[in-house]
Amino acid sequence: MKIKTYLINKRALTFIFILASLFVFAQENNTYVKSGFTSEQFPIFPNCENLADKKLEDCFYREVQDFVFQNFEVPENLKQSNHKSEVKVLFEVDATGVFKVIYVNTSNEDLSEAAKRVFAKFPTIKPSTYNGKPTYSKYTITINIPLKNSDQLAAEALAASQILKPAEKPMTELDSIVYKKYNNPEFESYLNVPFSHSYYAQFDGAMNQVGSNNHTASKPFTYAEVSKYYNLKAVNESLQKKASTWLGRKWWNENLVQIQGEDYWLALNPIVDLQLGKASDLDASYTYVNTRALNFRGGLGKKLNFTTTIFESQGRFAGYFNDYAESLKPSGGNPAIIPGIGIAKRFKTDAYDFPLAEADITYAPYKFFDLQLGYGRNFIGDGYRSLLEGDGASPYPYFKINTTFWKIKYTNTYMWLKDVRPEVTVDKTYATKFMANHYLSWNVSNRLNLGFFESVVWTDTNNRGFDVNFVNPIIFYRTVEFTSSSRSGNAMLGITGKYKWNNSINLYSQFLIDEFSVSDVKAGDKSWKNKFGFQIGGKYFNAFDVKDLLLQVEYNHVRPYVYSHSAVITNYGHNNQSLGHQWGGNFNEFVVIGRYHKGRLFGDAKFNIGKRGLDFNTAQDSYNYGGDIYKSYDVKRPYDKGVVVGQGNKTDVFIADIQGGYLINPMTNLKLFGSFIYRNFDPTQDTPTTFKQSTTWFTIGLRSDIFNWYFDY
């Protein structure tokens, strides 16, 4: 016996056909089974009570099979003649749970009547449902003559499926495509989890338990990595609101479009960032952000996943942020680069228009590897900041290889970057530069993790292009860079550490070496050549026994001239922004963070206290004090010795950033929020570009929190 299912949900057809094709799946039981349109729930026999999903489906097919075999009466004359044939029956279970024969296909009238009699004997059962309401469903069954009992069927190979096309509407390949009930497959996929500090804080504690053999420094994580330690799907289900309407489900709980078939799934969502605020340092009456975006993501099989997002934005920010964005302006006449976003053109008279696109394709051919081709940002570290590779710069194209085995995770990233300064722009085309880095994370013990980082930046000097010397993922870049000419490339080294004091307290650190002269260190004269930085920090999960309260402290110290280079184009920058710490060089910073969430409610508080050494940039003092990474460290360096953090125009910085709000839709991380930023910027000497400034900035908004947007400059 073979069963084919057509579960037709009339109310859903209009919307489904507009949005996408229909999807198909096949099930094997005692026969080969194909389903048509799926309803919310299969019909329920008494023996199938309290079953759900696949188990309920299997039980339904089994009950139908058993009943037919036990009750079908083959006419006596056909038994005696050893008659062999097939009887194909199209039947339905109506909205009251009654079995009805629609059509019988057989050349023998006696068999046709026998088929109708057996279906008339079926008991009334609970019908299929859609949106919680009873509906009808259609099925096709092929009955082989002579009959075979269930034991015989189970002992034989699965019968080949056969499609019975309804007489009134012949089937096509498209008609055979069906979709499954969407069960949020992205939460178990190899897609990157959108990197937001606030969102990652929710599962950071679970990812850092003593004895866990995972690696938390290389970000963003994939859903597959997180799901081993934190059940994202279960958390999502716990946040679901009761919604009886389609609009309610889409607003509170679901993707706008979500389709799942056999071995593939697709999701489509609108993305918004709508903000309105007031800043004390802005002449305009208000600040705003108006972002409309569209995200499309999916999976083909279990190994290939993809996502792409297109943003269209306009905005006007607090005065200090506008000033900083315009200080980054590129060659060509555009007025600004929005930090972390990209080049902006003028919108009206005092605002910006800044488009953005991000994308990622991930392929995991084997359990040890995943390959990513993307356009976005990356981050290395366990802190709020990263000295090695931060996510504060504009997105860029990259190719990443993650290799995980034993106690090791090894991440290789190859990047294509831009220098947009007028000095290197040729024929209105920005200069291209390249970066390769690798990071090895090693779980030394149940508590201790060590990481080793190396990076090199080079440019297309003498048509060098993407240098194959750096393609090898296990080669030592520093040596290759030296043999290729240290002036044509810029290499950096880094070491990271993390110690799990217990399941509640983690300590972490980074040490960055841009250049390091042992002899100068021994001399103790604070040489400019000692270009290094370090970070120390700690996290306290479920602080003071308050569930989901995270407290974090962090100290960052970066000496002058770090991230800069003798040839500016090979500095550690992209689109006039630092790829390490957003402040560049010559600073120290102390950060205190508190994050709390309960259900859909959340609150974040962050305080930055820092000291920066900025340039004066005046006719009287045009020296390079080491804070601006887009200046050559060989040009106008005021001191060779006695170089200290804060030299130049020493500036005290204090920033308080407090946010709170409500999570509207967990599938898009859409939040209704309010924020307050207080910034005090106090240089020793006021100059045309650096001056004392105190800012209060209030904002309310509706935002999909899918990347970090930093305002602490």
Side-chain angles (χ1 to χ4, degrees):
M1 179 182 65
K2 305 163 193 169
I3 297 176
K4 181 173 179 252
T5 311
Y6 304 88
L7 303 175
I8 304 177
N9 305 311
K10 294 179 178 178
R11 297 177 62 187
L13 286 178
T14 302
F15 179 66
I16 293 169
F17 279 113
I18 292 174
L19 297 178
S21 305
L22 307 174
F23 292 79
V24 95
F25 72 92
Q27 172 206 330
E28 296 183 0
N29 197 16
N30 288 335
T31 64
Y32 187 73
V33 178
K34 286 187 175 180
S35 305
F37 300 108
T38 63
S39 58
E40 186 177 76
Q41 180 175 275
F42 266 71
I44 303 175
F45 283 89
N47 291 339
C48 304
E49 293 281 357
N50 300 321
L51 298 179
D53 301 324
K54 189 68 165 58
K55 291 183 178 179
L56 175 60
E57 180 181 349
D58 292 344
C59 185
F60 172 79
Y61 291 133
R62 186 172 58 252
E63 290 290 316
V64 172
Q65 293 166 0
D66 289 345
F67 190 92
V68 171
F69 284 123
Q70 293 169 11
N71 294 276
F72 192 93
E73 297 179 1
V74 180
E76 192 63 30
N77 63 318
L78 298 181
K79 286 183 180 179
Q80 295 177 0
S81 62
N82 293 320
H83 178 82
K84 295 182 180 179
S85 66
E86 291 181 343
V87 182
K88 296 183 179 180
V89 183
L90 176 64
F91 68 97
E92 75 172 22
V93 182
D94 67 18
T96 65
V98 175
F99 285 74
K100 296 181 179 180
V101 174
I102 299 174
Y103 176 75
V104 181
N105 185 13
T106 179
S107 59
N108 188 291
E109 185 62 29
D110 291 338
L111 288 175
S112 177
E113 292 301 317
K116 293 176 182 178
R117 284 195 298 271
V118 74
F119 276 89
K121 295 179 181 179
F122 268 89
T124 300
I125 64 175
K126 292 183 180 180
S128 301
T129 61
Y130 186 77
N131 283 341
K133 297 181 179 180
T135 187
Y136 76 96
S137 51
K138 291 184 180 180
Y139 307 85
T140 301
I141 182 173
T142 301
I143 306 172
N144 295 300
I145 308 298
L147 294 172
K148 300 175 183 178
N149 60 36
S150 298
D151 292 337
Q152 289 175 308
L153 284 175
E156 296 179 356
L158 296 174
S161 65
Q162 297 186 22
I163 299 175
L164 177 64
K165 300 178 180 181
E168 68 276 9
K169 184 181 179 182
M171 292 287 289
T172 68
E173 284 187 307
L174 289 177
D175 294 324
S176 69
I177 298 175
V178 299
Y179 71 98
K180 291 183 176 181
K181 183 178 181 181
Y182 197 82
N183 65 351
N184 296 326
E186 56 262 59
F187 290 133
E188 298 169 347
S189 73
Y190 286 94
L191 275 181
N192 285 333
V193 182
F195 181 37
S196 159
H197 287 298
S198 181
Y199 185 47
Y200 273 47
Q202 298 182 26
F203 48 79
D204 202 5
M207 298 282 287
N208 281 284
Q209 298 296 287
V210 174
S212 61
N213 187 28
N214 68 323
H215 305 267
T216 58
S218 184
K219 298 180 177 74
F221 304 143
T222 65
Y223 284 102
E225 288 178 290
V226 177
S227 64
K228 295 178 182 179
Y229 307 94
Y230 186 82
N231 196 332
L232 288 165
K233 183 179 290 189
V235 172
N236 178 272
E237 291 174 354
S238 71
L239 295 174
Q240 297 293 293
K241 283 182 171 290
K242 293 183 179 180
S244 59
T245 65
W246 177 87
L247 184 61
R249 296 197 311 272
K250 300 303 173 181
W251 176 252
W252 295 111
N253 302 325
E254 299 178 359
N255 301 295
L256 177 64
V257 180
Q258 51 187 33
I259 302 170
Q260 185 173 348
E262 184 68 25
D263 295 326
Y264 59 93
W265 62 273
L266 303 168
L268 180 70
N269 282 300
I271 302 293
V272 297
D273 188 350
L274 307 174
Q275 303 181 27
L276 187 67
K278 177 69 176 179
S280 62
D281 63 353
L282 185 69
D283 292 334
S285 56
Y286 60 91
T287 65
Y288 74 93
V289 173
N290 177 20
T291 295
R292 297 84 59 210
L294 194 66
N295 173 261
F296 179 60
R297 63 185 185 274
L300 301 177
K302 294 182 179 180
K303 297 181 178 181
L304 182 65
N305 297 105
F306 60 87
T307 181
T308 183
T309 310
I310 303 172
F311 301 83
E312 178 61 34
S313 305
Q314 296 81 39
R316 178 172 59 229
F317 308 92
Y320 80 89
F321 194 82
N322 294 334
D323 292 342
Y324 180 62
E326 296 196 8
S327 74
L328 305 175
K329 67 180 181 182
S331 171
N334 286 312
I337 291 177
I338 306 301
I341 306 295
I343 296 174
K345 63 182 181 181
R346 182 65 65 192
F347 181 72
K348 297 184 177 179
T349 59
D350 59 353
Y352 309 102
D353 189 323
F354 42 100
L356 175 66
E358 296 184 329
D360 185 81
I361 300 173
T362 302
Y363 179 59
Y366 196 55
K367 65 180 182 178
F368 295 135
F369 301 98
D370 71 74
L371 313 175
Q372 297 183 18
L373 180 63
Y375 191 94
R377 313 167 188 84
N378 295 280
F379 187 97
I380 292 179
D382 286 285
Y384 171 69
R385 307 284 199 184
S386 175
L387 308 187
L388 308 181
E389 183 179 7
D391 65 332
S394 307
Y396 46 81
Y398 65 87
F399 178 67
K400 181 190 287 188
I401 307 171
N402 288 310
T403 306
T404 307
F405 66 98
W406 186 52
K407 302 179 179 181
I408 296 293
K409 181 176 182 179
Y410 187 50
T411 300
N412 296 87
T413 312
Y414 307 95
M415 291 159 277
W416 288 256
L417 310 173
K418 291 295 183 181
D419 191 323
V420 298
R421 296 172 298 126
E423 298 92 318
V424 293
T425 300
V426 179
D427 295 332
K428 300 181 180 180
T429 301
Y430 299 132
T432 298
K433 55 196 285 188
F434 310 94
M435 177 186 289
N437 64 40
H438 43 211
Y439 176 69
L440 188 148
S441 174
W442 172 33
N443 287 323
V444 181
S445 70
N446 286 343
R447 299 177 184 271
L448 178 64
N449 173 275
L450 295 177
F452 306 92
F453 174 83
E454 187 184 21
S455 180
V456 62
V457 181
W458 72 97
T459 189
D460 193 22
T461 306
N462 291 331
N463 296 316
R464 184 179 183 183
F466 193 93
D467 198 331
V468 295
N469 288 296
F470 301 113
V471 172
N472 191 316
I474 58 175
I475 202 166
F476 188 56
Y477 291 155
R478 184 75 177 183
T479 301
V480 176
E481 182 258 350
F482 180 80
T483 58
S484 301
S485 172
S486 62
R487 295 262 176 180
S488 66
N490 180 18
M492 292 197 300
L493 302 174
I495 301 173
T496 69
K498 180 175 68 177
Y499 186 77
K500 303 173 185 178
W501 188 272
N502 53 40
N503 286 337
S504 296
I505 298 176
N506 278 193
L507 307 176
Y508 60 89
S509 64
Q510 292 186 347
F511 186 68
L512 169 69
I513 303 174
D514 194 349
E515 285 188 37
F516 197 82
S517 173
V518 175
S519 60
D520 286 316
V521 170
K522 289 182 177 180
D525 54 11
K526 301 178 181 178
S527 170
W528 76 274
K529 295 181 181 179
N530 295 326
K531 296 163 57 185
F532 64 85
F534 65 86
Q535 174 188 89
I536 56 174
K539 295 179 180 178
Y540 185 13
F541 306 111
N542 298 318
F544 307 109
D545 294 324
V546 179
K547 189 176 185 304
D548 297 322
L549 173 63
L550 169 64
L551 300 181
Q552 181 178 1
V553 294
E554 180 175 298
Y555 177 75
N556 298 296
H557 179 99
V558 177
R559 281 181 52 80
Y561 310 107
V562 173
Y563 304 130
S564 62
H565 197 243
S566 58
V568 176
I569 194 171
T570 50
N571 70 356
Y572 207 63
H574 165 63
N575 263 19
N576 288 345
Q577 304 151 81
S578 171
L579 285 167
H581 195 292
Q582 292 96 303
W583 288 5
N586 193 7
F587 72 87
N588 56 41
E589 176 192 35
F590 185 67
V591 186
V592 180
I593 301 173
R595 304 188 190 276
Y596 176 74
H597 73 277
K598 184 176 182 180
R600 295 193 179 219
L601 296 171
F602 73 92
D604 295 334
K606 177 173 60 66
F607 303 90
N608 304 71
I609 304 169
K611 178 177 67 176
R612 303 182 65 179
L614 305 176
D615 296 338
F616 292 94
N617 292 323
T618 63
Q620 295 77 26
D621 192 336
S622 59
Y623 287 113
N624 173 14
Y625 289 96
D628 186 352
I629 70 171
Y630 279 88
K631 290 183 178 180
S632 169
Y633 56 57
D634 284 339
V635 177
K636 290 192 173 182
R637 189 177 63 246
Y639 323 112
D640 288 341
K641 301 178 181 179
V643 173
V644 296
V645 168
Q647 67 176 22
N649 195 358
K650 185 174 72 173
T651 301
D652 294 323
V653 181
F654 175 79
I655 304 171
D657 186 345
I658 301 172
Q659 293 191 29
Y662 184 80
L663 177 65
I664 294 176
N665 191 326
M667 296 303 299
T668 58
N669 211 21
L670 179 65
K671 298 177 176 178
L672 178 67
F673 75 96
S675 75
F676 167 76
I677 294 177
Y678 172 76
R679 176 182 181 265
N680 188 66
F681 196 76
D682 188 11
T684 302
Q685 178 180 322
D686 284 355
T687 71
T689 57
T690 304
F691 47 88
K692 184 175 178 60
Q693 192 175 35
S694 181
T695 303
T696 55
W697 188 9
F698 296 90
T699 302
I700 58 172
L702 186 69
R703 181 182 185 235
S704 291
D705 187 14
I706 56 176
F707 65 88
N708 292 311
W709 201 339
Y710 299 95
F711 294 101
D712 46 6
Y713 292 94

